[in-house]
Amino acid sequence: MPFPKRKSCFGIMLVVIASAAALACMQAVSSESDAVAEPTAQPSLSVNVTTLEPQTLPTTIAANGDIAAWQEIIIGTEIGGLRLVDVKVDVGDEVTEGQVLAVYNDTTVRAELARSRAAVAEAEATLAEANANAQRARSLKTTGSLSEQQIQQYETAELTARARLGVAQAQNEAQALRLAQTQVVAPDDGLITSRTATVGAVTGAGQELFRLTRHGRLEWRAEVAASDLNKLRPGQTARISLPGGYDLEGRLRTIAPLVDTATRNGLVYVDLPLSDVARAGMFARGEFELGSRQVMTLPRAAVQLRDGFGYVHRVSGEGQITEQKVALGQHTEDRIEIRAGLEPDARVVASGGAFLGNGDQVRVIEGEPVHSPQTNDIDAEEGV
């Protein structure tokens, strides 16, 4: 009976076909799962990139220091015990050499001067009499009418009278000088910066009345590191930044021969031009120009500063971010010098690097200008 055998073989074939179909389905599902398990990384941010650019920067030495008077004159009185009756100047006044600044009561001095003049007149009369007596005595010397002793006495009296006249004249000159000292005058042209003179005060000799900035000149006394002192020369230009945003240009006059043992800094003296913005006592920052040099720079927005170090975010050809540490140099308003740590053709994120980290995937925007460092320089893409 052959029919049962055929039916059995047909059943076996159906089972084999069903098993093969099931295996094929399992393989298809496994392949689809593998494809889903390995998605392709997609960029989530778009950025502008930049590279190192050559730039000529000035070579400078930075310094800090105080502004002070070039020469300050302390004006005091040379006469004591007199009352101050008039003060003719105040703080901020410009004065000229010989100008009267203050006046003392000179009544007693004038009286002393009159007495000294009378003493001079008396000494002159005494000398005239002694001179006449001595002349007569010398004329009678050959006649024997007078002894040698008497003649010598007349000559001695003449010498004594002449000496007393000299003393009287010296005292008269001293009183005349005291009278002149009752007027306090400016020893040079300049600007009054301090006044302690008060009308009615009785002052002693040598007491300070005014302070004068000679010729109104100011200087910047800048502290410079000892290692940089040998780079400076008299006549070099210094640019000084004053409080309030004002700038001045000065000239280095001299370099102090000593270095402070505590700070290891040396003082340099810079002459400042006359201006209405600089004041003695101000603190100022500045820099000395030494020349220029060619350097490689990046925009300031492309460099992130952390813990005193600089970092940039390199962009590979596949758009992957790598954070890299670089050595920084001189800064300008919009550029910063890169001394080491970056190849000349390396592409870095132009701005907004603070929002990126190692391994991030980005899309490079080609042909767009680099903007100032704002948060909207990196745009998030939706639906990726």
Side-chain angles (χ1 to χ4, degrees):
M1 297 188 46
F3 293 104
K5 290 183 179 179
R6 290 177 181 176
K7 187 175 181 179
S8 176
C9 290
F10 183 74
I12 292 173
M13 290 177 65
L14 289 176
V15 170
V16 171
I17 293 172
S19 300
L23 180 60
C25 288
M26 291 178 63
Q27 289 177 347
V29 171
S30 176
S31 299
E32 186 177 350
S33 299
D34 292 342
V36 174
E38 298 178 359
T40 303
Q42 296 294 324
S44 60
L45 301 173
S46 57
V47 298
N48 290 316
V49 296
T50 186
T51 58
L52 289 171
E53 294 181 6
Q55 187 174 2
T56 301
L57 295 181
T59 303
T60 60
I61 295 177
N64 302 322
D66 297 326
I67 295 176
W70 166 60
Q71 288 183 3
E72 188 174 54
I73 302 175
I74 298 177
I75 303 173
T77 175
E78 299 178 78
I79 190 171
L82 300 180
R83 180 170 56 89
L84 195 59
V85 295
D86 191 12
V87 177
K88 297 182 177 295
V89 296
D90 205 346
V91 174
D93 290 346
E94 294 184 0
V95 299
T96 58
E97 183 178 357
Q99 180 178 337
V100 178
L101 308 180
V103 178
Y104 282 94
N105 185 1
D106 60 0
T107 305
T108 57
V109 180
R110 288 186 180 278
E112 292 291 335
L113 179 60
R115 187 169 67 176
S116 66
R117 286 174 178 171
V120 170
E122 181 182 3
E124 288 176 345
T126 302
L127 176 59
E129 181 182 4
N131 187 37
N133 291 335
Q135 287 291 344
R136 283 194 296 269
R138 282 191 289 269
S139 64
L140 297 174
K141 185 175 183 180
T142 57
T143 64
S145 301
L146 296 175
S147 65
E148 288 292 333
Q149 183 179 3
Q150 290 175 321
I151 295 173
Q152 187 175 5
Q153 287 176 349
Y154 284 119
E155 291 178 344
T156 301
E158 180 187 21
L159 294 175
T160 303
R162 183 172 285 109
R164 286 175 179 172
L165 175 61
V167 172
Q169 289 174 338
Q171 290 176 346
N172 182 67
E173 291 176 359
Q175 292 302 325
L177 181 61
R178 279 173 54 85
L179 180 62
Q181 290 172 349
T182 59
Q183 292 189 340
V184 180
V185 299
D188 202 348
D189 298 347
L191 181 70
I192 299 294
T193 58
S194 173
R195 190 202 77 178
T196 56
T198 305
V199 174
V202 178
T203 61
Q207 182 171 334
E208 178 183 326
L209 300 178
F210 305 95
R211 291 202 176 198
L212 175 72
T213 297
R214 192 175 181 190
H215 299 296
R217 286 177 55 184
L218 297 176
E219 65 182 10
W220 181 45
R221 299 175 182 176
E223 293 188 11
V224 177
S227 58
D228 292 330
L229 287 176
N230 61 343
K231 302 176 184 177
L232 299 177
R233 297 290 184 274
Q236 287 177 332
T237 301
R239 299 190 181 277
I240 300 96
S241 299
L242 302 176
Y246 298 101
D247 293 330
L248 287 178
E249 183 176 296
R251 295 287 176 182
L252 195 156
R253 185 178 75 253
T254 186
I255 303 172
L258 299 178
V259 172
D260 191 296
T261 56
T263 62
R264 303 303 177 187
N265 292 334
L267 276 181
V268 296
Y269 298 87
V270 177
D271 288 331
L272 299 180
L274 296 177
S275 70
D276 296 330
V277 295
R279 298 285 188 275
M282 280 184 173
F283 177 81
R285 304 179 184 275
E287 56 185 21
F288 297 91
E289 296 183 358
L290 305 182
S292 61
R293 57 196 177 94
Q294 192 80 4
V295 298
M296 302 301 290
T297 65
L298 284 176
R300 292 179 69 97
V303 182
Q304 306 298 314
L305 300 177
R306 293 199 307 272
D307 302 325
F309 298 99
Y311 298 87
V312 297
H313 292 82
R314 296 187 58 171
V315 182
S316 67
E318 294 75 25
Q320 189 173 28
I321 294 295
T322 303
E323 188 177 74
Q324 187 164 333
K325 184 177 180 181
V326 292
L328 304 181
Q330 187 175 342
H331 294 218
T332 64
E333 292 184 0
D334 56 351
R335 309 286 296 182
I336 185 169
E337 176 189 357
I338 305 299
R339 291 183 173 176
L342 194 65
E343 295 81 7
D345 57 348
R347 300 192 306 169
V348 300
V349 177
S351 61
F355 299 95
L356 299 172
N358 271 323
D360 287 351
Q361 199 74 20
V362 297
R363 179 173 65 87
V364 176
I365 302 176
E366 301 291 348
E368 294 192 9
V370 178
H371 303 288
S372 59
Q374 300 175 353
T375 55
N376 59 3
D377 284 338
I378 296 184
D379 305 317
E381 294 186 351
E382 299 179 357
V384 179

